[in-house]
Amino acid sequence: MPKPIVASASTNNETVSRAFDEFKVRKFFDQDKIAFLIPDDIDQYLRDFEQSEFFECNHELSVQNMRIYGRKYKKNIWKQKIASQILINVKKAFRKYKLDYWLSDGTLLGWYRDCSLIPHTMDLDIALNIKQYDSNLVKYFLGNKITPLITVFGQLNDSLELRLEYNGFLCDIFFFYDLNSTHLYAGYQLGRSKMKNVLSKFNRLCSAELFNERHLVPCNYLDYLKEIYGQNDWKNPRDNYGEWSSVVNRGEKWTEDEYPNVFNT
């Protein structure tokens, strides 16, 4: 898999790195019959450009943790390969239906802190806004040979989550719901209680590289991580983070009629 194309451009004395997936070009002739190369799919290029500002993972912190934690922190090549295949297939679906996804929770943490996966994980976390829900996404993953849909949690209007699986590795797709100045999404379900993550609302997505593939991340990724895992706790690898600082119980519960339809396999 080729690495994403990364280029730097200067505007108003500010240099910004931008990343793109490899794309086809075609010749274009202007009115003076001078030939230029332009993207073959201009609409897709412009969509990608809006989200092309590129951020590197924290290589220094990754090396530091490797030195401190040694073998416990050693990256698992098998898990990396499986995770990479899942991410590529999931990204293919999102691009097919022109949906804006991003790396979230532990996968975002792994990208930035570890430049890989977090050491203990056996799942991936992906997110997108519920406003972009497309029923074709469910159809795409039903019976998919690489990442079949195994469970649907929640309902379309509340706490929706899709769970995919490949070779024992899970991928959770969380849908974010806007509420005033925050985003809500289902961190997990505790019986009939709705346990939700609450994060400050953000509006921009940028580009990052994970396993030689371009993926989207919140442009304010560091604030995002601090809200979920704590101001400084995210820096140090651990097997679990206990109660996430962003998870709240807003007193909401599924009704007796709703609850049987909250988990569909």
Side-chain angles (χ1 to χ4, degrees):
M1 180 63 60
K3 279 194 171 187
I5 302 167
V6 180
S8 295
S10 296
T11 306
N12 297 327
N13 296 321
E14 182 180 6
T15 300
V16 176
S17 293
R18 297 189 179 276
F20 297 87
D21 291 307
E22 192 173 287
F23 56 87
K24 294 180 180 179
V25 296
R26 58 184 169 88
K27 278 188 177 181
F28 171 80
F29 294 89
D30 69 6
Q31 60 185 6
D32 297 319
K33 296 184 178 181
I34 297 175
F36 297 89
L37 292 178
I38 63 173
D40 189 50
D41 188 338
I42 294 177
D43 289 340
Q44 183 63 60
Y45 176 83
L46 292 176
R47 279 176 57 86
D48 287 345
F49 185 84
E50 288 295 317
Q51 301 165 339
S52 63
E53 185 175 354
F54 180 72
F55 290 102
E56 291 270 7
C57 65
N58 194 325
H59 295 283
E60 182 179 347
L61 184 57
S62 176
V63 171
Q64 174 184 304
N65 283 333
M66 178 68 75
R67 187 167 57 247
I68 294 173
Y69 297 98
R71 291 183 60 84
K72 183 178 179 181
Y73 190 72
K74 186 177 180 180
K75 296 174 175 57
N76 186 307
I77 302 302
W78 175 83
K79 288 202 296 186
Q80 289 183 351
K81 183 177 179 180
I82 296 298
S84 176
Q85 290 175 304
I86 293 173
L87 286 170
I88 288 171
N89 196 51
V90 169
K91 176 181 175 178
K92 180 179 177 181
F94 287 133
R95 287 182 73 82
K96 177 181 176 70
Y97 300 115
K98 300 187 183 303
L99 306 177
D100 299 323
Y101 75 100
W102 61 89
L103 305 184
S104 187
D105 295 71
T107 304
L108 182 70
L109 176 62
W111 158 71
Y112 183 65
R113 186 191 66 194
D114 308 314
C115 299
S116 182
L117 300 174
I118 55 179
H120 69 277
T121 193
M122 283 299 291
D123 67 7
L124 295 165
D125 302 307
I126 304 293
L128 69 160
N129 197 292
I130 193 63
K131 293 176 182 177
Q132 292 199 347
Y133 175 80
D134 188 328
S135 60
N136 286 314
L137 200 61
V138 173
K139 296 175 184 176
Y140 179 93
F141 289 120
L142 276 173
N144 190 277
K145 292 182 179 180
I146 301 176
T147 51
L149 177 66
I150 61 171
T151 310
V152 177
F153 299 98
Q155 298 180 355
L156 184 58
N157 65 345
D158 191 355
S159 307
L160 186 65
E161 174 191 344
L162 308 181
R163 174 164 289 177
L164 317 176
E165 186 270 339
Y166 177 56
N167 276 2
F169 211 94
L170 301 177
C171 177
D172 292 321
I173 301 176
F174 298 105
F175 287 86
F176 277 44
Y177 298 77
D178 296 341
L179 178 65
N180 300 323
S181 62
T182 64
H183 291 302
L184 299 179
Y185 68 104
Y188 57 89
Q189 304 296 334
L190 185 62
R192 284 172 49 198
S193 297
K194 301 176 183 179
M195 308 300 294
K196 296 185 178 181
N197 277 20
V198 181
L199 297 176
S200 299
K201 189 177 290 185
F202 63 92
N203 298 309
R204 289 185 63 229
L205 294 174
C206 291
S207 294
E209 180 266 323
L210 183 61
F211 306 134
N212 291 336
E213 183 76 18
R214 173 179 170 264
H215 294 287
L216 300 179
V217 298
C219 296
N220 64 333
Y221 56 86
L222 204 50
D223 293 333
Y224 191 105
L225 290 174
K226 289 177 180 179
E227 286 194 38
I228 294 177
Y229 298 106
Q231 187 70 21
N232 293 302
D233 285 351
W234 63 271
K235 296 179 182 179
N236 304 310
R238 59 180 68 181
D239 292 340
N240 65 73
Y241 283 84
E243 185 74 11
W244 294 339
S245 57
S246 59
V247 173
V248 298
N249 182 347
R250 303 175 65 240
E252 300 173 355
K253 289 189 175 184
W254 298 108
T255 67
E256 290 185 9
D257 291 336
E258 291 173 328
Y259 192 61
N261 300 311
V262 170
F263 303 94
N264 293 290
T265 57

